[in-house]
């Protein structure tokens, strides 16, 4: 079976949304390509294809034949910036230089034609030379783009500009050298100048929209100090290897992720946790690359380097999200695919009406034809969704909210119900033993229970083991052990049959639970405690009660979500009484208790069947099936492992209040997308008729077209000001 490879490519030469659609169509025709997304705003393409030698180069060549250039993105970062950032900087400089060159050449044309109004043959010849340099020098890119679009049986913004400016220029050329008449060299020259101004401003604005990635890249340390052979040496961060001993002094950035071997310090982890207070670090603790050491010096062993570090994972998630498409983008893609051909038809109809029906002068008909072509632009519509997603996902990353793509962002906007896992999500996930009821006064109760639970990985088991260790009890290795999911554990310890778990477990192994024991258990559960029954040699020996307190942020987070008119449900494997006690403390609307881990996904689907959009919030490990089943999976970041596949959103600060922030950000982003789409469609709906009526000079129509794209990007950038 051929392995599927996913590769991102930087694409240069795209001038509008139609260009992106042309490239998508070409790549989809390649037999070995299974999926492709081309993003005009980010100038990037994500391609899934059969991992066979030579096929990556074939993709690049296919894009090149279409008239664009492509470069596969490597994992290596260059001087704190990746290849994409370097390309963006080059693109800004290139468009800036072309604009100034075009303006310098166009100003004398404007002076001669519009200010001096010199209609002499000499003036016309000078204008033709200068305008020709703009038309075929600066404007050659439009001819090239139009040629390749036609070659690929398509049309794009380049087609409109090439046809419009050529009409004005070649008519003027004819009236200069072949027949006597009025010239409009300034129209062609200014059109190209204004378009280049718009492109320069657009690329600059798009760079600002993607600043979140640059900020994240800027956090990375450039070098690391390695202790080797009795001496310390500074090396580039790319040269650090797993197992290297890294030395960090006060005030320095921690270069990679690792485990403290020697020393003590406090570390500023605000870039990850959002908490301003430094975190103490001692031997055995984990440190995260790009965080800042405050006071002490320490040595640590490098555990995660390169693309495995937490910072690199965050950057990858944000990059992937910014390159993705939201479902709402499909509307813009459909409109863009028909846009240019329809505009050309409208322009031709405009010329026919003016010249043949109204019988206006040829010049008036020609200028109306040109104005219609150049005022119409698919760029604004093509930028409406991706620029808002770029800014929205970037804003989320700055606040510890990783939104994995446009689809997750769009779905979050529609959520009506949120289901929260209890342990480790609503609660601290660190339960402690609060009560031990020993019915036969056996000193072995806790020791035998802890010995058996020592083989279990459940958090409740850990609390029993911790209590036994605190009481200095010596644990034994079970000779038999079985964990029954959702029920408890059974086995043999020192020859005794031991069972620790729920009342259902006792029924399963045929151990009777008296009414008195059941009442005692109920009293503890009504206090919000989880109670486990301990049976030794098929007799109830006692009860062990464990309490897991809710997080400080839980109540506030639930209140915020209620203000958004969102229903809150808690799902847990815990018993009904304990679950309801926790729910009362948190202000939760509904409880699904005694749900086995394997059944959580089914419960999610049951609620979905009512037609409601549901988010599931869990730890991303035990809750993975439920997270995947929900319309939106929200995974709580677990320490340094934030690349949780099941979650569409990852909250790396482990703060439940970020659930409300993620939804607020989603709603704000979708508002921006809809605003952008409205204004892009409104602009074209109003602009084209105005141009067709001859009420707008062609060169100013070109300026309006250029600025429409810039306005969409600037509107998206306003998302950076949203308070979360």
């Amino acid at each position: 079976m051929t392995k599927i490879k996913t590769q991102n490519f930087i694409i240069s030469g795209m001038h509008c949304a139609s260009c992106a659609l042309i490239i998508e169509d070409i790549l989809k025709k390649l037999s070995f390509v299974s999926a492709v997304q081309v993003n005009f705003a980010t100038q990037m393409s994500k391609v899934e294809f059969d991992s066979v030698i030579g096929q990556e180069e074939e993709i690049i060549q296919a894009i090149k034949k279409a008239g664009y250039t492509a470069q596969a993105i490597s994992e290596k970062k260059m001087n704190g910036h990746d290849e994409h950032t370097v390309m963006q900087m080059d693109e800004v400089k290139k468009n800036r230089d072309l604009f100034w060159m075009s303006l310098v050449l166009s100003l004398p044309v404007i002076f001669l034609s519009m200010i001096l109004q010199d209609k002499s043959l000499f003036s016309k010849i000078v204008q033709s030379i200068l305008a020709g340099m703009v038309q075929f020098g600066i404007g050659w890119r439009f001819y090239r783009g139009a040629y390749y679009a036609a070659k690929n049986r398509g049309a794009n913004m380049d087609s409109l500009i090439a046809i419009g400016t050529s009409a004005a220029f070649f008519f003027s050329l004819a009236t200069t050298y072949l027949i006597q008449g009025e010239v409009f060299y300034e129209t062609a020259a200014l059109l190209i100048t204004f378009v280049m101004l718009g492109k320069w401003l657009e690329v600059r604005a798009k760079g600002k929209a993607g600043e979140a990635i640059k900020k994240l890249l800027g956090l990375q340390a450039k070098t690391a100090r390695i202790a080797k052979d009795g001496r310390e040496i500074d090396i580039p961060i790319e040269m650090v290897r797993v197992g290297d001993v890294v030395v960090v002094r006060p005030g320095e950035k921690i270069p990679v992720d690792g485990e403290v071997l020697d020393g003590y310090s406090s570390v500023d982890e605000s870039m990850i946790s959002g908490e301003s207070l430094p975190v103490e670090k001692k031997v055995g603790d984990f440190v995260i690359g790009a965080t800042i050491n405050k006071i002490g010096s320490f040595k640590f062993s490098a555990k995660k380097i390169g693309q495995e570090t937490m910072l690199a994972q965050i950057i990858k998630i944000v990059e992937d999200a910014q390159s993705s498409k939201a479902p709402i983008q499909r509307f813009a893609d459909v409109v863009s695919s028909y846009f240019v051909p329809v505009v050309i038809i409208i322009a031709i109809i405009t010329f026919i009406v003016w010249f043949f029906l109204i019988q206006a002068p040829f010049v008036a008909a020609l200028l109306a034809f040109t104005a219609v072509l150049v005022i119409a632009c698919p760029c604004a519509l093509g930028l409406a969704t991706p620029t808002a997603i770029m800014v929205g996902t970037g804003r989320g990353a700055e606040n510890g909210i990783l939104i994995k793509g446009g689809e997750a962002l769009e779905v979050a906007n529609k959520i009506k119900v949120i289901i929260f896992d209890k342990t480790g999500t609503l609660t601290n996930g660190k339960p402690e033993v609060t009560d031990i009821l020993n019915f036969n006064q056996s000193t072995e109760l806790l020791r035998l229970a802890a010995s058996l639970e020592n083989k279990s990985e459940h958090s409740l088991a850990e609390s029993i083991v911790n209590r036994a260790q605190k009481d200095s009890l010596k644990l034994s290795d079970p000779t038999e052990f079985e964990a029954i999911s959702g029920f408890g554990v059974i086995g043999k310890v020192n020859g005794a049959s031991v069972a620790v778990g729920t009342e259902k477990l006792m029924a399963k192994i045929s151990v009777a639970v008296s009414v008195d024991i059941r009442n005692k258990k109920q009293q503890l559960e009504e206090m919000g405690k989880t109670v486990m029954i301990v049976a030794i040699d098929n007799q109830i020996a006692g009860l062990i009660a464990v309490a897991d307190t809710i997080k400080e942020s839980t109540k506030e987070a639930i209140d915020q979500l209620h203000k958004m008119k969102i229903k809150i449900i808690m799902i847990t494997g815990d018993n009904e009484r304990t679950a309801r006690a926790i729910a009362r403390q948190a202000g939760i609307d509904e409880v699904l208790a005694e749900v086995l881990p394997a059944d959580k996904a089914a419960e999610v689907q049951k609620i979905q069947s009512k037609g409601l959009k549901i988010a599931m919030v869990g730890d991303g490990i035990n809750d993975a099936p439920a997270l995947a089943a929900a319309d939106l999976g929200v995974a709580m970041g677990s320490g340094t492992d934030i690349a949780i596949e099941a979650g569409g959103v990852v909250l790396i600060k482990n703060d439940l209040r970020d659930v409300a922030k993620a939804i607020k950000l989603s709603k704000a982003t979708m508002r921006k997308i809809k605003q952008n789409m409205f204004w892009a469609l409104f602009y074209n709906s109003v602009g084209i008729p105005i141009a067709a009526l001859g009420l707008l000079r062609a060169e100013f129509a070109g300026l309006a077209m250029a600025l429409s794209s810039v306005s969409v990007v600037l509107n998206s950038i306003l998302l950076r000001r949203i308070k979360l």
Side-chain angles (χ1 to χ4, degrees):
M1 185 176 177
T2 307
K3 185 180 178 183
I4 298 295
K5 179 180 180 181
T6 301
Q7 176 67 55
N8 288 327
F9 296 87
I10 302 168
I11 299 178
S12 56
M14 288 195 293
H15 298 149
C16 68
S18 298
C19 297
L21 294 176
I22 288 170
I23 296 170
E24 277 192 3
D25 288 341
I26 286 166
L27 294 182
K28 284 176 181 176
K29 289 175 183 175
L30 298 175
S31 60
F32 55 86
V33 171
S34 53
V36 58
Q37 281 189 349
V38 181
N39 191 311
F40 166 54
T42 60
Q43 301 283 295
M44 290 176 70
S45 174
K46 184 178 181 180
V47 186
E48 294 178 15
F49 57 97
D50 297 343
S51 184
V52 177
I53 294 173
Q55 290 188 338
E56 187 175 297
E57 183 59 31
E58 197 171 332
I59 290 170
I60 293 172
Q61 289 305 313
I63 294 171
K64 189 175 181 180
K65 286 178 183 176
Y68 309 90
T69 58
Q71 176 187 347
I73 299 178
S74 67
E75 292 185 346
K76 186 178 178 182
K77 305 294 177 187
M78 302 187 299
N79 301 320
H81 299 282
D82 61 6
E83 297 96 323
H84 187 209
T85 306
V86 173
M87 185 211 75
Q88 279 186 327
M89 293 167 67
D90 289 344
E91 192 75 8
V92 170
K93 184 177 182 299
K94 180 182 176 183
N95 281 283
R96 180 198 65 194
D97 293 347
L98 286 171
F99 161 69
W100 285 114
M101 287 171 63
S102 187
L103 182 63
V104 168
L105 291 168
S106 299
L107 285 174
V109 178
I110 297 166
F111 183 74
L112 288 170
S113 65
M114 301 178 74
I115 298 175
L116 293 182
Q117 296 185 355
D118 187 348
K119 297 181 181 180
S120 67
L121 181 60
F122 175 76
S123 173
K124 290 179 180 179
I125 291 171
V126 171
Q127 289 180 55
S128 71
I129 294 169
L130 293 172
M133 293 170 69
V134 175
Q135 186 75 29
F136 301 108
I138 311 300
W140 182 250
R141 61 189 289 178
F142 303 119
Y143 285 108
R144 184 176 181 275
Y147 165 74
Y148 278 108
K151 184 181 175 183
N152 294 300
R153 298 179 181 178
N156 56 17
M157 186 195 79
D158 294 334
S159 309
L160 298 177
I161 296 172
I163 295 169
T165 57
S166 294
F169 180 80
F170 285 110
F171 173 80
S172 299
L173 208 62
T175 56
T176 299
Y177 296 100
L178 299 176
I179 57 174
Q180 289 298 313
E182 197 172 352
V183 295
F184 299 96
Y185 289 117
E186 77 281 358
T187 297
L190 278 176
L191 260 173
I192 290 173
T193 301
F194 286 147
V195 170
M196 293 315 305
L197 172 63
K199 278 293 162 191
W200 174 31
L201 296 176
E202 179 189 309
V203 174
R204 280 188 64 186
K206 284 196 293 187
K208 289 188 177 295
E211 274 187 350
I213 290 285
K214 295 174 190 172
K215 287 181 181 178
L216 290 170
L217 288 167
L219 294 172
Q220 191 176 33
K222 307 296 185 294
T223 61
R225 185 175 296 107
I226 304 296
K228 196 171 186 179
D229 301 327
R231 61 193 183 97
E232 296 177 2
I233 54 171
D234 288 341
I235 62 172
I237 193 169
E238 293 85 5
M239 294 178 64
V240 177
R241 297 290 176 263
V242 173
D244 282 349
V245 176
V246 184
V247 181
V248 185
R249 293 172 183 161
E252 293 181 342
K253 279 186 180 179
I254 297 169
V256 295
D257 299 358
E259 186 179 320
V260 177
L261 298 173
D262 180 50
Y264 174 85
S265 185
S266 61
V267 175
D268 178 1
E269 293 186 345
S270 57
M271 55 82 70
I272 298 295
S273 66
E275 295 293 335
S276 57
L277 293 176
V279 180
E280 292 185 358
K281 297 292 180 181
K282 58 186 184 298
V283 175
D285 287 344
F286 207 88
V287 290
I288 301 166
T291 56
I292 301 171
N293 183 32
K294 300 296 285 185
I295 53 171
S297 297
F298 62 89
K299 294 179 181 179
F300 73 92
S301 174
K303 297 294 184 184
K304 293 184 178 181
I305 62 172
Q307 298 304 299
E308 294 181 354
T309 64
M310 185 174 192
L311 179 63
Q313 289 181 53
I314 292 172
I315 290 171
K316 185 177 186 306
I317 287 172
V318 177
E319 283 178 336
D320 287 347
Q322 293 188 345
S323 298
S324 68
K325 285 188 178 183
I328 197 172
Q329 176 70 25
R330 295 190 194 110
F331 169 74
D333 287 347
V334 170
V335 173
S336 297
S337 65
Y338 293 103
F339 188 90
V340 176
V342 169
V343 169
I344 292 173
I345 292 169
I346 293 172
I348 293 170
I349 292 171
T350 300
F351 179 85
I352 292 170
V353 170
W354 274 87
F355 189 66
F356 292 104
L357 299 183
I358 301 176
Q359 295 187 334
F362 179 82
V363 170
L366 181 68
L367 291 178
F369 166 82
T370 304
V372 169
L373 285 175
V374 298
I375 199 169
C377 178
C379 293
L381 192 61
L383 290 167
T385 300
T387 52
I389 288 174
M390 282 172 68
V391 180
T393 53
R395 186 81 176 95
E398 290 170 1
N399 286 271
I401 302 166
L402 300 184
I403 300 168
K404 289 190 174 183
E407 187 171 355
L409 197 65
E410 186 170 336
V411 170
N413 175 59
K414 303 172 183 175
I415 294 301
K416 298 297 180 187
V417 178
I418 298 181
I419 303 174
F420 283 91
D421 172 54
K422 181 179 80 72
T423 306
T425 303
L426 292 168
T427 65
N428 288 302
K430 295 181 179 178
E432 294 182 355
V433 173
T434 57
D435 302 87
I436 299 175
L437 302 186
N438 195 335
F439 299 142
N440 58 13
Q441 303 302 314
S442 169
T443 55
E444 291 286 279
L445 174 70
L446 180 59
R447 192 185 76 82
L448 291 176
S451 295
L452 186 64
E453 292 282 26
N454 202 24
K455 287 283 187 181
S456 173
E457 296 179 355
H458 199 283
S459 58
L460 296 179
E462 186 181 354
S463 66
I464 295 174
V465 173
N466 289 341
R467 175 59 183 268
Q469 290 173 341
K470 184 180 177 182
D471 291 355
S472 303
L473 298 178
K474 188 177 180 181
L475 304 185
S476 304
D477 289 330
T479 52
E480 293 179 17
F481 175 83
E482 182 184 356
I484 304 172
S485 183
F487 289 84
V489 292
I490 58 175
K492 283 199 171 183
V493 182
N494 297 138
S497 296
V498 182
V500 183
T502 63
E503 194 168 338
K504 288 181 180 178
L505 177 66
M506 297 302 124
K508 193 177 183 71
I509 60 173
S510 303
V511 173
V513 179
S514 67
V515 174
D516 182 50
I517 292 173
R518 192 174 286 118
N519 289 337
K520 286 182 170 65
K521 177 174 172 285
Q522 184 176 332
Q523 289 171 7
L524 292 167
E525 287 171 347
E526 286 172 352
M527 296 166 64
K529 298 173 182 180
T530 300
V531 183
M532 287 166 283
I533 303 172
V534 182
I536 301 174
D537 291 330
N538 296 321
Q539 295 291 323
I540 301 295
L543 302 176
I544 298 178
V546 173
D548 183 11
T549 55
I550 65 170
K551 293 177 179 177
E552 288 183 15
S553 62
T554 296
K555 183 70 170 67
E556 186 180 344
I558 300 302
D559 289 343
Q560 289 173 354
L561 292 168
H562 277 148
K563 287 177 183 176
M564 294 180 178
K565 311 294 184 187
I566 294 174
K567 182 179 180 180
I568 308 299
I569 298 173
M570 181 178 78
I571 192 166
T572 178
D574 225 332
N575 66 78
E576 186 84 21
R577 281 184 291 272
T578 302
R580 292 201 175 280
I582 295 290
R584 280 194 298 272
Q585 293 176 43
I588 289 167
D589 305 313
E590 189 178 326
V591 173
L592 299 173
E594 298 181 39
V595 180
L596 299 176
D599 296 334
K600 287 184 179 180
E603 291 292 339
V604 169
Q605 290 164 346
K606 195 183 295 181
I607 299 169
Q608 281 175 320
S609 66
K610 299 175 183 177
L612 299 170
K613 290 289 183 183
I614 294 177
M616 170 72 194
V617 184
D619 62 13
I621 301 168
N622 296 330
D623 302 309
L627 288 169
D631 297 290
L632 177 69
V634 181
M636 306 297 287
S638 54
T640 57
D641 183 17
I642 53 88
I644 301 169
E645 292 300 323
V649 175
V650 180
L651 309 180
I652 60 176
K653 292 190 294 186
N654 254 333
D655 190 333
L656 279 180
R657 288 169 294 196
D658 286 346
V659 176
K661 288 180 181 179
I663 292 173
K664 183 179 179 181
L665 178 62
S666 164
K667 289 182 181 294
T669 305
M670 291 307 298
R671 275 197 305 272
K672 283 296 176 192
I673 289 173
K674 289 171 183 176
Q675 287 171 13
N676 289 346
M677 284 190 166
F678 170 80
W679 287 113
L681 292 169
F682 178 81
Y683 161 81
N684 283 296
S685 301
V686 173
I688 292 174
I690 289 174
L693 290 170
L695 300 175
L696 191 63
R697 285 182 64 98
E699 56 268 39
F700 295 119
L703 178 62
M705 178 271 287
L707 294 181
S708 68
S709 298
V710 178
S711 65
V712 165
V713 180
L714 292 177
N715 187 46
S716 295
I717 290 173
L718 291 176
L719 265 174
R720 290 165 57 185
R721 299 169 63 180
I722 185 175
K723 290 183 179 179
L724 296 176

